[in-house]
Amino acid sequence: MLPRLIYKSLTNSIAYFLPTLFGLLLLMVPVSAQKRAIEMTVASTEARAALVAGRELAENQHHDKAQKYFTKVITKDPACAIAYLYLAQSVAPASTAYVNNLKQAITLMGKASEGERALIEVEKAQAEGHVTKTKELLQKLVRQYPTDKRVFLAVSGHYLRLLDYTEAEAALTAGMALDPDFPPFSLWLGHIAATKGQFPIATQALQTYQKLLPDEPNSFLATGHLYLKRGFYTEAIKSFTTALDLDPQFYQAYGALGMAYLANDQLTEARNQAEKLLGLAPNTTWRRQAYYALIGTYLEESKLHEALASLAKSRELAEKDKDSWEIAQDMNLVGDIHLSQGKVNEATAQYQSALKVMETADAFIGMKNQARLTYLTHATEVGLATNDLAAARRHITEYRKLASLQQTPGLNQELHRLLGLVALVEKKYEAAAQEFAKSSQQDPRTFHLLGNIHLAQGDQAQAKLNWMAAAQLNDPTHSYLLLRRKAKQ
C-alpha cells in the first residue's frame, strides 16, 4: 500500500538497481529463507474478496471506495489485522481515524501472518518516528519476500513518505522487474520523475500506466498533475476534466481542477470547483479539502477575511470529529496568514495553541515530534520577523537536535532553509544562497528567497527569474499560495 498522495527510468534491467540497497539485499538472501508472497489472514472467502478489491482500489488512489471494502472485511472478520492497517493507510494521514485503525491493527497483529505482522510493524515504527528501525524492518521484509511485488510497492511508499526518492525508485524498479505490467509501478515512477523535473521520463511512465488502465481516472489525474507542473494549464484542465467524466466521485480531481484554474488565473472557475466539491463531499475529509480549496482562491486574491472564515468552518468539522492533527493544521494556517500580515502576536498564539493540541493528543510519538518540529519552524520565522536572532538560533538548535533523531531528507532540507533565513537577515547573502541550494528545490519559497538575495545584490533580472520560477511551481500548499501573487508581481 502507498500513502495518499500524490512520479528515472522504466528500465527493467537488474543492473540498474543492484548498486542500491535493495539490489544488494537480494543478492544476500539465502534461497531457503525466501518466501513467495505475504500470506493473507482472513476468515472467509467473501472477506478475502473484499480485501483484495479494496487493496486494488487503494493502489490506484480510490481511497474512499477502498475504505468501504476494508470496513466490510472488518464486519465479516473483526480480527483481520491487515484490514485495519489498510484502512489506516487509506484515510487522511495522521488523522484520528489513522491512529485508531493503526492501533487496532497493532492489537490484532498476533493473529496475522508473519508478513502481515511485518507490514504492521513497519507502519508502527514510522508512526513513532523511528526512521532507522523502519528502514531495518523494510530491509528484512525485502529479504524475506524478494518475489512479492506488493512488498516492493509497500517499501516504495514508506520511502516516498521520507522523501527518499533514490530508495523509493529502487524499490519500484525492482518490483517492475518482477511484474512490468503492475500499474502502480508505472504511476509512482512517473511521480518521482516529475518531482525531479525529468518530464520525458515521467511522460513515458504515465503513458504506460494509461495503457495498462485505459479507463482509470487516476491516470488522467496523474497526467494532469504533470501538465500542471510543466505549466501546460489547458492540457491539465482537460486531463482533470476527463478524470471526472470517467468518475464524478473521484473527488481529488475537483481539487486538482481547481488548482489548474487558479494557476491559469481563472479564479471564478477555481472557486466553482471548490464549491462543487463542498456540495458533493461524502465525508468530513473531503468537506475540509473543499474548504481548503476555497481558502486557496481567497489567498490568491488577498481576501484574508474570507480565507479565515473558511478556515473557521474547516476547524468546526475537525473539532466535531475531535481530530487533533487537523485542528492543529488549521491553527497553523491561521498563524501563517497572520504572520504574512505582520501580526506576530496573533500568529504566535496560534502556533502555540497548535502545539499544545498535539502535545495532549492521543497520537503516536512520531506525530507529536512532527508537531514540535513544525512549531520550531514557525517560532524561528517569528524570531526573524521580530529581529530576535538569538531566539531564532535557539529554535534552530532545538530543531536540529530533534531532526537529527530521524535524519530524513525532508527535515534536513527544512533545516537548511531555516539556516538560510538567518543568513539572509544577517545580509550574509552567499551563505544564505548556499543554504537554500541545500533546501527543497520543490519548495517555491526556496526560489522566492533566492530572488530576494539577487535583488539585495542588485541583480534585478536574476531576481525576477527566481520569482517567476517560484510562481510557476504550482505547488498546492498554502505556503505557496501565500507568496504566489507576490512572486508574480
Side-chain angles (χ1 to χ4, degrees), residues 114-125:
E114 182 181 6
E116 290 172 331
R117 289 196 300 272
L119 290 172
I120 295 169
E121 286 283 8
V122 168
E123 190 73 28
K124 177 174 178 282

Side-chain angles (χ1 to χ4, degrees), residues 205-215 219:
L206 296 180
Q207 287 174 345
T208 299
Y209 181 68
Q210 198 165 68
K211 288 178 181 177
L212 292 170
L213 296 173
D215 297 322
S219 68

Side-chain angles (χ1 to χ4, degrees), residues 49 79 108 225 267 302 362 452 476:
L108 295 169
H225 279 302
L267 283 176
S302 297
D362 180 18
N452 292 348

Side-chain angles (χ1 to χ4, degrees), residues 323-333 354-355 357-358:
D323 199 319
S324 299
W325 184 268
E326 303 290 359
I327 293 170
Q329 177 177 284
D330 290 346
M331 288 177 169
N332 280 321
L333 181 50
L355 178 60
V357 165
M358 285 306 300

Side-chain angles (χ1 to χ4, degrees), residues 274-275 277-279 281 285-295:
E275 295 283 4
L277 177 57
L278 188 59
T285 296
W286 287 113
R287 281 190 286 275
R288 279 177 51 80
Q289 288 293 321
Y291 280 124
Y292 265 66
L294 277 173
I295 292 164

Side-chain angles (χ1 to χ4, degrees), residues 237-312:
I237 290 168
K238 183 178 178 180
S239 288
F240 296 142
T241 301
T242 301
L244 287 171
D245 288 341
L246 288 169
D247 184 359
Q249 293 182 330
F250 195 53
Y251 299 109
Q252 50 265 58
Y254 291 101
L257 182 55
M259 185 64 199
Y261 279 129
L262 189 151
N264 204 35
D265 296 322
Q266 296 175 262
L267 283 176
T268 300
E269 290 83 353
R271 199 161 292 149
N272 287 342
Q273 292 304 314
E275 295 283 4
K276 188 178 294 186
L277 177 57
L278 188 59
L280 293 171
N283 52 42
T284 297
T285 296
W286 287 113
R287 281 190 286 275
R288 279 177 51 80
Q289 288 293 321
Y291 280 124
Y292 265 66
L294 277 173
I295 292 164
T297 66
Y298 292 134
L299 292 179
E300 174 68 8
E301 293 186 291
S302 297
K303 294 183 177 179
L304 303 187
H305 178 77
E306 290 86 346
L308 291 171
S310 292
L311 256 176

